[in-house]
Amino acid sequence: VHLQAKQLLSKIVKLLESRDILRKPQVNILTSSLQSQMVSVLGYVRNQGRYPIEGKRSLTDILAMAGGITPDGGELVALIRSDGSKFNKEIIDVIEMVRSGDLTRNLNIRSDDLIYVERALRFYIYGEVQRPGTYRLERNMTVIQALSVGGGLTQRGTERGLRIQRRDAEGNLQMLTVKSSDLVEPDDVLYIKESLF
């Protein structure tokens, strides 16, 4: 593009001089691409929107341009791009990429890519705990760790008969008896029963 602009500039100068319109004309050409190279960033980032990309930009570059992931944002980022005939979705675990130092998943972003930052995974606690509510699910979180996030048991609470409500692969709710060392899964609901004595 730069070479073409120089050639065009030379032609315009010669044309203006040859027609005796201007002597020693000063001509500038401002080039702009016909279609801006843009990427869309949505989901749990500080500044959702469309961002221009010039040259090579990686996934982390674009996330930084969007102000980074919000506290409610998760560790997984979906990258959706077209191959011309259909859309492909790729899930990138940003936290694992940073922890491992393996930046092979820090893909170069192309024009018209869509980056969507997923919500952080959650779990729920109710019953005889100090602070029932919704909490962020950390990696490999055990039931006892989840209980500590909820402030621990009340004086009436008991770990015996601790239950988790969980959906199976078909989406059906199941009530499971669990141990304190079992892992909590996304969207689990922990129920702490009242001790009868």
Side-chain angles (χ1 to χ4, degrees):
V1 175
H2 190 61
L3 182 61
Q4 290 175 338
K6 279 188 172 181
Q7 290 170 341
L8 182 60
L9 185 69
S10 178
K11 280 187 179 181
I12 292 171
V13 168
K14 285 178 184 172
L15 186 65
L16 290 170
E17 286 178 331
S18 68
R19 298 232 173 138
D20 213 17
I21 298 172
L22 289 171
R23 289 182 187 172
K24 296 184 181 176
Q26 297 289 321
V27 178
N28 288 321
I29 295 179
L30 300 174
T31 59
S32 62
S33 68
L34 294 174
Q35 184 178 5
S36 294
Q37 304 286 296
M38 302 289 280
V39 61
S40 298
V41 186
L42 299 173
Y44 292 84
V45 291
R46 295 196 188 279
N47 302 302
Q48 296 185 70
R50 284 178 58 78
Y51 290 89
I53 51 172
E54 293 176 23
K56 279 192 174 181
R57 290 280 185 262
S58 67
L59 174 64
T60 52
D61 290 338
I62 301 299
L63 289 174
M65 287 169 66
I69 298 172
T70 66
D72 288 333
E75 301 169 353
L76 301 179
V77 174
L79 172 62
I80 300 170
R81 69 170 37 146
S82 172
D83 66 3
S85 60
K86 65 182 193 309
F87 288 96
N88 296 312
K89 178 180 178 181
E90 213 168 325
I91 300 294
I92 296 132
D93 188 330
V94 176
I95 301 301
E96 184 56 35
M97 181 177 70
V98 172
R99 282 181 185 159
S100 69
D102 179 9
L103 296 181
T104 55
R105 303 284 292 147
N106 194 19
L107 302 176
N108 284 329
I109 301 304
R110 303 194 306 233
S111 184
D112 297 325
D113 279 353
L114 168 63
I115 296 167
Y116 183 82
V117 177
E118 307 270 358
R119 188 194 73 166
L121 299 175
R122 304 279 186 182
F123 70 95
Y124 307 84
I125 304 178
Y126 77 105
E128 295 300 326
V129 286
Q130 301 289 341
R131 293 189 303 275
T134 307
Y135 295 95
R136 183 187 185 105
L137 178 62
E138 301 296 339
R139 251 169 233 247
N140 300 318
M141 181 178 265
T142 62
V143 169
I144 196 70
Q145 288 171 325
L147 289 176
S148 69
V149 169
L153 304 179
T154 65
Q155 288 183 343
R156 294 192 308 270
T158 177
E159 281 186 42
R160 285 177 308 197
L162 175 66
R163 302 277 191 273
I164 283 186
Q165 190 178 56
R166 180 179 291 161
R167 290 196 184 276
D168 62 18
E170 288 77 43
N172 302 314
L173 279 175
Q174 296 183 324
M175 190 64 86
L176 308 170
T177 301
V178 291
K179 301 187 300 286
S180 60
S181 60
D182 288 343
L183 292 180
V184 179
E185 294 185 11
D187 297 321
D188 275 357
V189 180
L190 280 69
Y191 173 60
I192 293 80
K193 295 174 85 173
E194 183 178 354
S195 176
L196 299 176
F197 49 88

